[in-house]
Amino acid sequence: MTTITLNGYIARETEAAVAFLATAETVKPLWLPRRKIASLVESDDMSASVQIAGEGVQRLAFPVTVEIDAAFAARVGVGA
């Protein structure tokens, strides 16, 4: 599997996917299916307080570096 690397934040997680934010100011996350994630590493940087569109609560988003399937990234318009 060819992958691309993204840096950003994870704001929510489910069993099937994670809500990825490219920046702490992003309000609408990109839901990444776990099966399309090759690697996800949490960094030691500071977490950010975010509010996802449609939710009425602030939550902490933790910084990550994530490698995702390049074909999936192209399909959803992410990456180079």
Side-chain angles (χ1 to χ4, degrees):
M1 165 182 359
T2 305
T3 62
I4 65 163
T5 302
L6 303 173
N7 294 304
Y9 297 88
I10 298 296
R12 269 188 68 200
E13 296 184 72
T14 69
E15 286 184 32
V18 297
F20 177 80
L21 302 171
T23 66
E25 292 81 37
T26 307
V27 293
K28 188 169 182 179
L30 170 64
W31 284 93
L32 300 174
R34 289 191 185 272
R35 68 182 185 278
K36 300 295 182 181
I37 297 173
S39 165
L40 189 145
V41 178
E42 186 174 350
S43 78
D44 290 334
D45 293 336
M46 216 163 92
S47 294
S49 180
V50 298
Q51 185 171 347
I52 295 175
E55 293 185 350
V57 297
Q58 290 284 116
R59 61 176 67 240
L60 283 180
F62 57 94
V64 296
T65 298
V66 61
E67 288 184 30
I68 63 171
D69 177 54
F72 171 76
R75 204 167 46 248
V76 296
V78 176

